[in-house]
Amino acid sequence: MDSSLAISGGPRLSNREWPRWPQPGDRALKSLEDVLTSGRWTISCAYQGRDSYERQFASAFADYCGSAMCVPISTGTASLAIALEACGVGAGDEVIVPGLSWVASASAVLGINAVPVLVDVDPATYCLDPAATEAAITERTRAITVVHAYSAVADLDALLDIARRHGLPLIEDCAHAHGAGFRGRPVGAHGAAGVFSMQGSKLLTCGEGGALVTDDADVALRAEHLRADGRVVRRGPVGVGEMELEETGRMMGSNACLSEFHAAVLLDQLELLDGQNARRTRAADHLTDRLSELGMTAQATAPGTTARAYYRYLVRLPDEVLAVAPVERFAHALTAELGFAVTQTHRPLNDNPLNRPSSRRRFATDARYLERVDPSRFDLPAAKRAHESVVSFSHEVLLAPLDAIDDIARAFRKVLDNVREVSR
């Protein structure tokens, strides 16, 4: 039997149909049809005599996250920017940002004219490193943002302690972590605010969407103003045909409301989330056992994690393999064997083509500000090491049956056995 690699013209190890994403539930089509005929397609349209899907989702997601309040928002990026402003961050302020993350972790800070301070990650969890975080705090620091990255929960014990001692709000970015938990409580409910993305690749998705959860009534009220052009949902009775959003004049905002279509889909998806997460965790544990036998090291999570949510599955290659073949070639070989995309981590934000403030005149307020927001001024060795040694694939693959997960392990073995072929 031909054992050569698929990238060299050999047979592909697997020809399976892997799960696709997103996956609608039984409720979605009926709910979308209901929105279409309801006479109300967004919270900023006139009240029609019943709770909007947006209000229904806000209540359901607050309960799911163990938080007192939820403010639905149009995107995860907008949710993060609104959380920062709602926590008092403004022009010129410094915000701690993990150096290994999607570009929105930095661009949301730039979007409110603040300064992203890129901080290195823990080499085992790839989440914000507490020691590096504390070392980066200055008199200008006004907030810490932490991303629960890929499938890990960050060290909230240490980061909350740092935040409290320095009098800083900790904002949890849970874009990868819908359903994850720390010390028995959902992520997002530990800091001053938790923010979520519901973009199309996410574990809970409606295509594009976001949310902010918090126990702080003042943070929630400011977030409401910021996402609805300075308006908030009325607390009293609303008549049919009246506006449910009330103009308070207290705070200027912008339009970042979530549409009724998106909210309806999210209610459908929320019903499926826990079952899907359980399947992903079972598959991930099975694969980790198989890959550890091959010398691979799966992404760790912080002590205190009580539930993991696998947005992406990450595993680090052994040094002896990387000495022969670069990680991008190894990922390419796995992709060819399996028929789904295997990639590296995000590129570190100090050397990421998506994080270039100098490319937009919007940020050229003055020369000093451009110097402060130049990402190349930060050194991120652990993030760089992760990008150069870790391969990753998306969560929907983990919804496949366990015999398909075994195919993934066999593909790793095949590529390892032919690693010199990978390096060509």
Side-chain angles (χ1 to χ4, degrees):
M1 180 178 177
D2 186 356
S3 62
S4 60
L5 295 178
I7 56 170
S8 301
R12 199 162 94 176
L13 185 139
S14 175
N15 289 301
R16 288 180 180 271
E17 284 281 332
W18 296 95
R20 299 175 65 186
W21 192 258
Q23 297 179 6
D26 295 335
R27 180 179 176 179
L29 283 176
K30 183 177 179 180
S31 296
L32 287 170
E33 183 180 15
D34 186 44
V35 173
L36 277 169
T37 58
S38 68
R40 191 182 196 193
W41 288 6
T42 179
I43 190 72
S44 58
C45 289
Y47 181 66
Q48 296 298 317
R50 65 179 191 178
D51 281 348
S52 66
Y53 281 96
E54 196 248 30
R55 293 292 84 204
Q56 293 178 56
F57 173 71
S59 176
F61 197 60
D63 288 346
Y64 184 83
C65 293
S67 296
M69 290 150 283
C70 169
V71 180
I73 298 170
S74 58
T75 68
T77 304
S79 300
L80 181 53
I82 285 171
L84 289 164
E85 277 205 88
C87 288
V89 178
D93 293 339
E94 292 181 355
V95 178
I96 302 294
V97 171
L100 188 67
S101 182
W102 179 243
V103 65
S105 294
S107 63
V109 178
L110 290 163
I112 61 168
N113 298 322
V115 177
V117 174
L118 305 183
V119 171
D120 213 357
V121 296
D122 180 278
T125 67
Y126 316 131
C127 296
L128 193 63
D129 181 83
T133 296
E134 187 148 31
I137 293 172
T138 73
E139 69 280 359
R140 290 179 168 179
T141 307
R142 293 294 176 269
I144 299 169
T145 59
V146 55
V147 177
H148 301 299
Y150 304 113
S151 72
V153 176
D155 187 350
L156 287 174
D157 286 338
L159 291 166
L160 285 166
D161 177 65
I162 292 167
R164 291 183 186 121
R165 285 190 285 104
H166 290 272
L168 299 170
L170 180 73
I171 297 170
E172 296 178 73
D173 185 336
C174 309
H176 298 177
H178 309 75
F182 186 81
R183 304 217 177 274
R185 192 177 185 196
V187 297
H190 298 263
V195 297
F196 293 81
S197 168
M198 283 72 165
Q199 178 268 343
S201 69
K202 300 303 190 291
L203 299 173
L204 179 68
T205 180
C206 57
E208 293 288 355
L212 178 154
V213 297
T214 184
D215 289 339
D216 189 318
D218 290 335
V219 170
L221 187 61
R222 287 193 290 272
E224 277 200 72
H225 282 88
L226 288 163
R227 68 92 191 229
D229 289 313
R231 299 169 294 177
V232 299
V233 177
R234 288 192 193 184
R235 272 45 175 177
V238 185
V240 174
E242 294 181 348
M243 291 299 296
E244 192 172 5
L245 292 177
E246 178 183 14
E247 299 176 9
T248 70
R250 290 180 54 182
M251 187 176 189
M252 183 179 180
S254 301
N255 181 18
C257 291
L258 187 74
S259 83
E260 286 290 273
F261 296 99
H262 292 94
V265 172
L266 286 174
L267 283 166
D268 167 75
Q269 292 290 290
L270 190 58
E271 293 181 351
L272 306 176
L273 179 59
D274 284 346
Q276 291 168 336
N277 275 346
R279 289 167 59 194
R280 293 184 188 103
T281 299
R282 184 169 60 251
D285 289 345
H286 182 75
L287 183 58
T288 295
D289 288 343
R290 295 289 307 275
L291 295 184
S292 64
E293 297 170 357
L294 303 179
M296 308 285 176
T297 305
Q299 181 185 17
T301 189
T305 300
T306 47
R308 291 184 80 163
Y310 282 83
Y311 172 62
R312 293 191 70 85
Y313 183 90
L314 271 65
V315 64
R316 189 172 69 243
L317 304 180
D319 288 343
E320 57 268 26
V321 171
L322 294 168
V324 177
V327 66
E328 61 268 25
R329 290 286 297 163
F330 198 96
H332 181 58
L334 285 170
T335 298
E337 296 296 336
L338 290 164
F340 61 78
V342 180
T343 66
Q344 297 171 255
T345 66
H346 295 114
R347 192 162 167 176
L349 288 175
N350 63 340
D351 183 31
N352 190 315
L354 300 180
N355 188 32
R356 292 286 183 269
S358 61
S359 67
R360 295 182 69 182
R361 291 187 59 226
R362 172 180 181 175
F363 303 124
T365 55
D366 60 63
R368 177 62 183 133
Y369 181 73
L370 278 178
E371 288 176 7
R372 293 179 68 200
V373 301
D374 180 0
S376 67
R377 70 188 181 95
F378 299 101
D379 187 29
L380 304 170
K384 184 174 186 290
R385 168 68 173 158
H387 182 64
E388 294 175 348
S389 63
V390 171
V391 294
S392 162
F393 60 82
S394 185
H395 62 87
E396 65 271 14
V397 172
L398 296 174
L399 297 175
L402 289 185
D403 65 318
I405 304 303
D406 285 332
D407 279 353
I408 300 173
R410 283 191 285 271
F412 270 87
R413 164 59 75 185
K414 181 180 178 183
V415 176
L416 283 172
D417 288 345
N418 295 275
V419 68
R420 294 197 177 280
E421 190 178 329
V422 175
S423 65
R424 294 174 191 165

